[in-house]
Amino acid sequence: MSTLENEVTFRKQAEVSQSLEAQFQDSNSSTDFILITDHRTSKSKSLEQLEASKESSDGSSCCSRYARSIFRMKTLKRRLPFLTWLPHYNSRDCIGDLIAGFTVGLTVIPQGLAYSGVVGLPPEYGLYGSFMGCFVYVLLGTCKDSTIGSTAVASLMTFQFAQGSWQRSVLLTFLTGIIEIFMAIFKLGCLVEFVSGPVSAGFTSAVALIVSTSQMRSMLGVKSDGGSFLATWISMFRDIENVRVADTVLGFGCVFLLLAMRSMGKLAIGPKDESQRNGFQRVFNQIIKFLSTSRNASVVIVFTLITMHLDAQGTNPFRLTGNIPKGMPTPSLPPFSIEAQPGNETAGIPPVPGQNFLEMVQSMGYGLLIVPLMALLETMSVCKAFAKGKQIDITQEMIACGVGNIATSLFSGYRCNGGLARSAVNNASGCRTNMSNLYIGVIVVLALNFLTEYFAFIPKAVLAAIIISAVIFQVQYQVVTPMWRSKRSDLVPGILAFITCLVLPLEIGIMVAIGVNLLFILYYAARPKVTLEQLETQQGIRFVKITPDRCLIFPSVEFVRNMVLKSGSKTTQPVVIDCTYIYAADFTAAKVIASMVEDFRRRHQKIIFFNLKPSVVSVFEGLNTKLVLCYNTHALNQELRPDEPDLSRSVDSLDHVESGNGTSECVSMASTLSLARS
């Protein structure tokens, strides 16, 4: 039965009229407490425990409840999002999605051809991985602006773990897709929260530089190898005498041209208010905007036509993409083994050793965990950028990405996930629903069937320029200044992620950065802020109040114990621990608290726990620790009186509690829940 406790005022040593509640609460908080329930012993469980026991005693199992929830319309719409928007699809949506799909499709084709070079695969594999993910996302995706395809991060990580083998690349795509589905089933999307913003910024910036470096060899026409950023640059400088001037000029010229066309999209003629512009101004601005968003395709088309003309005259000075097989790949399961193939020393082709399934998986290592985690991080960054205040369903995004990658692997494609730059083009082009992904996939399929003979004349330097001009904006230097102003220590894991990913192999760099970031979190958890105050009651009883600002778990409990013992040993006054902010504890904390209470008992010094939550009390009950607990200021005032005969006074049930004027005193092992009345 809920009762309102009587208010009891204390005073500080120098301020007699100061109330104790003002010390235990913020200045804006109420000093009244409402006693919600009294659970004084282990014989009477807390509300949370009673609710849990009620659920566990229910005859229906967890599996049956889950099965019933699957076939609810609410669940179906959540797991099949197209059921929400498809019934309302109209002609305006169709036109908007068609324009956006066509515009993004013109971007996806050259990017797919270019990113395949980052993976170390022939150009067609970039297109193979650019349509099935789009088709799946139409049905399972939750963000209308997100487009699924090759990205710089996914391509580079595929190269790191598949080592340029198409068999391992396709198998990696298949296995990571399955892992993503299992992550969704077990709701492990929270794992991405362990990658902080600074680490993500450092990692993304390093990837941008690594990808740009990998494309410099196509622009310079030199050979390069090495597993890190520095090793690649060193190998390119060693072969600098073989630089191809024509490819270099074409590549850097295309980079500047693409950057200029990107900036051109911000230009507009006429008044700022679109309603006041005339017809010519509107048409001109739309043309400029279209050329800016389709700049990749425009540059590829122009220089492909030039190269075809030069090749017909036999004066082509550029290195070309080469022959690309026509048509769709045959659907099949991913390769679960690699057949050994002899090399060709004359052609410079090294031999390929054979591998079975276990050896292929072993060669991928912990990439099977890192790749889905980084892909989820990249996909979620896209969803957050276009969420517009809406809730993001991480589980559904993992399902969509996982199913999309499994489907992609069946058509010999490699890793795909949401890309921020491509999704920004989709948003700027006016997409209205997920159907824009369908049109993107259709354009890629049409290109595979009818345009591959022309792709052979695309200069490699042009594709390299497309990648460099896209990833250069992923170097997140702009976050350094606000991070410096906000919390300078956050720069440490960010800079460490950036440097280690450049110097070391990518997978080692990101693991080191995440590990250091977790150490920062653990150190923060192990060193809570503890506030000490010297207070005095109206009767002149002095005591020490100690307030930890967070939960008691194994990294921090020793620190808190030492602070309490140090403060208690300097005086014989009672010690009151304000447990308002202690919302959790573990077994280690229970052992340490039991030891600390025993130390105070041997010194015949009182230690009182104020407002300790029932869930924490239940942890301490397991060790039969005798605590003196108080949940209101009247009981605390009574317990602080020096005329108490037994410092470890406790009661076993509510029947043994002595009541006075309708108020309750302190008890041992009481699971009482108190809330401040607003």
Side-chain angles (χ1 to χ4, degrees), residues 19 101 274 367 400 407 451 509 514 578:
S19 68
E274 294 186 6
L451 299 178
I514 293 176
D578 183 4

Side-chain angles (χ1 to χ4, degrees), residues 123-166:
E124 62 268 19
Y125 285 93
L127 299 180
Y128 294 164
S130 300
F131 60 90
M132 283 307 300
C134 294
F135 293 155
V136 170
Y137 200 79
V138 173
L139 304 177
L140 303 180
T142 62
C143 179
K144 69 178 182 64
D145 301 289
S146 180
T147 60
I148 305 299
S150 304
T151 65
V153 175
S155 300
L156 182 59
M157 295 184 68
T158 301
F159 173 73
Q160 291 279 339
F161 296 109
Q163 303 166 7
S165 167
W166 76 267

Side-chain angles (χ1 to χ4, degrees), residues 290-360:
F290 177 77
L291 290 176
S292 177
T293 55
S294 61
R295 58 188 178 273
N296 293 337
S298 301
V299 170
V300 167
I301 292 172
V302 169
F303 285 99
T304 298
L305 294 175
I306 294 174
T307 305
M308 291 175 64
H309 176 71
L310 295 176
D311 191 73
Q313 295 182 345
T315 57
N316 176 38
F318 309 118
R319 294 195 306 167
L320 304 181
T321 301
N323 182 54
I324 296 179
K326 181 180 180 180
M328 296 274 292
T330 303
S332 62
L333 290 173
F336 295 105
S337 62
I338 300 177
E339 295 183 1
Q341 296 180 359
N344 190 330
E345 295 183 1
T346 304
I349 301 176
V352 178
Q355 285 185 330
N356 57 32
F357 175 73
L358 293 178
E359 291 173 339
M360 293 176 69

Side-chain angles (χ1 to χ4, degrees), residues 149-306:
S150 304
T151 65
V153 175
S155 300
L156 182 59
M157 295 184 68
T158 301
F159 173 73
Q160 291 279 339
F161 296 109
Q163 303 166 7
S165 167
W166 76 267
Q167 294 96 334
R168 282 192 290 266
S169 299
V170 175
L171 183 61
L172 176 68
T173 303
F174 178 77
L175 295 178
T176 52
I178 293 177
I179 292 174
E180 284 175 317
I181 293 178
F182 275 102
M183 289 174 63
I185 293 174
F186 294 102
K187 300 185 183 302
L188 297 179
C190 60
L191 292 177
V192 75
E193 299 173 3
F194 288 94
V195 183
S196 66
V199 172
S200 177
F203 170 76
T204 305
S205 301
V207 167
L209 293 183
I210 294 173
V211 171
S212 300
T213 299
S214 69
Q215 296 304 299
M216 287 298 296
R217 60 183 178 184
S218 296
M219 293 179 60
L220 299 176
V222 297
K223 296 180 180 180
S224 67
D225 53 16
S228 64
F229 176 80
L230 293 178
T232 302
W233 274 107
I234 292 173
S235 63
M236 284 194 296
F237 275 113
R238 289 175 178 173
D239 195 46
I240 196 67
E241 66 273 6
N242 296 322
V243 64
R244 297 172 63 94
V245 178
D247 286 322
T248 303
V249 173
L250 176 63
F252 282 101
C254 287
V255 169
F256 289 117
L257 178 60
L258 289 167
L259 295 178
M261 294 179 69
R262 185 180 187 272
S263 301
M264 187 176 63
K266 301 177 182 179
L267 301 178
I269 62 174
K272 293 184 178 180
D273 188 358
E274 294 186 6
S275 61
Q276 298 179 1
R277 296 174 183 171
N278 57 37
F280 171 78
Q281 292 171 340
R282 294 178 182 176
V283 172
F284 181 83
N285 290 337
Q286 288 297 325
I287 293 175
I288 293 298
K289 181 179 178 181
F290 177 77
L291 290 176
S292 177
T293 55
S294 61
R295 58 188 178 273
N296 293 337
S298 301
V299 170
V300 167
I301 292 172
V302 169
F303 285 99
T304 298
L305 294 175
I306 294 174

